[in-house]
Structures are given as structure tokens and as C-alpha cells.
Amino acid sequence: MKTFINYTLTPVLCAIMVILAVVVVVKDQKIDDLKHQLVLAEQTAEARKNMVEEARLLQKAMSAPPVRKVTVTAYNPTTDQCDSDPLIAASMRKVRTGTIAVSRDLFDQGWVFGRKVRIEGIGIFEINDLMNKRFTQRIDIFMWDENQARQFGKKSIKAALLEI
């Protein structure tokens, strides 16, 4: 009986253990492959979701009328009207005469940095900055002189997004 166990049963059990170990290694590799495929599928889904959102925003911007009545005010490069660096706009460019800040709802509708806007009776300006999110349908004209900005006040005027 001892001979049977030593020469027959022991090698068979060892072979079974080796086969089971190989099966476990193969299954682990398969699990790793599936995890990798899942990560890739999640990244692809996120990228597609972002593309759909960008397409939705672009479609919204394309359907928005280029002329609208907005509230127009003026601002200066001071920390109480801007952020901690009032000489740098949200576009990461320096503030300068001839530029404006737009409310975020207009920005989301295609009124983006670099685009030109004609404000009725005032002139043509370049979008260079964003306003605080509490404002809607609003444009802020950049002015160096605080008194000039105060005199400008608050006006309801037509503004047109230009295709130039």
C-alpha cells in the first residue's frame, strides 16, 4: 500500500496540484485582461460623454441669436472688482482697453475669448474676461479710470456677436 501511495497516488496528486496552479495563473491573467478592458471601456465612455456634452454646447451656441439685449457696465483692474491678480484676465492675457468681460451664460453660448462684440452706440470690443457667475446676460467693459467707469453706469443695450 505504501508503494501504491508513493509511486501512484503522490505523482497524481502533484500533477493535479500543478494543473490547478496553472489554471489559477491563467484565470488571474484573464481577470487582469478583463480589468484592463473595463478601464478602457470606462475611459471611452467618459470621452464619448464629453464629446456629446461639447456637441450639445456647440449646438446651443449655434442656435443662440447673435444679437441680444444685455446689461452693460464697466469695471477696473482692482482686487475688489476682480481676483487677486486684477491685471490678468480669465483668458490669461493682460487686461487692456478695448476688451470686455462677459457673463458665463453668454460664454457658454459661444461668446468666448477672442471673439468680437459690437455694443450698440459704443463700439466693437474683444472678449477677454469672464464675469462672476452670479451675473447673467451681462457685459462689463474694461476701463482704466475708475471715475470714468462709475460715470458709465449701467445700461440696457443691444450687443451683437460678430463673425470676424
Side-chain angles (χ1 to χ4, degrees), residues 14 30 60 64 104 122 124 153 162:
C14 287
K30 185 88 169 169
K60 185 177 177 183
R104 292 165 195 260
I122 300 176
I124 296 175
L162 302 177

Side-chain angles (χ1 to χ4, degrees), residues 28-89:
D28 281 347
Q29 288 176 343
K30 185 88 169 169
I31 289 170
D32 288 343
D33 288 343
L34 290 172
K35 284 180 182 177
H36 180 69
Q37 289 176 5
L38 179 61
V39 167
L40 289 176
E42 289 171 346
Q43 290 172 344
T44 302
E46 185 66 26
R48 286 181 180 160
K49 179 180 162 188
N50 290 340
M51 286 175 56
V52 167
E53 180 62 18
E54 287 176 17
R56 186 190 66 76
L57 288 173
L58 184 59
Q59 186 67 27
K60 185 177 177 183
M62 300 285 283
S63 65
V67 178
R68 59 186 60 205
K69 195 152 192 139
V70 295
T71 301
V72 180
T73 53
Y75 76 107
N76 310 106
T78 60
T79 53
D80 59 318
Q81 294 183 42
C82 304
D83 60 12
S84 61
D85 190 358
L87 297 177
I88 300 296

Side-chain angles (χ1 to χ4, degrees), residues 72-77 82 86-103 111-119 122-131 138-144 148-149 152:
V72 180
T73 53
Y75 76 107
N76 310 106
C82 304
L87 297 177
I88 300 296
S91 65
M92 300 310 292
R93 296 171 64 195
K94 289 183 180 180
V95 294
R96 62 191 188 285
T97 304
T99 62
I100 58 175
V102 297
S103 56
W111 296 52
V112 296
F113 302 136
R115 299 284 306 266
K116 306 284 189 214
V117 175
R118 181 183 176 277
I119 301 174
I122 300 176
I124 296 175
F125 298 87
E126 180 181 343
I127 300 171
N128 190 38
D129 210 347
L130 283 176
M131 297 179 75
R138 198 158 171 162
I139 294 175
D140 225 359
I141 299 173
F142 177 80
M143 295 181 182
W144 286 108
Q148 184 184 7
F152 182 85

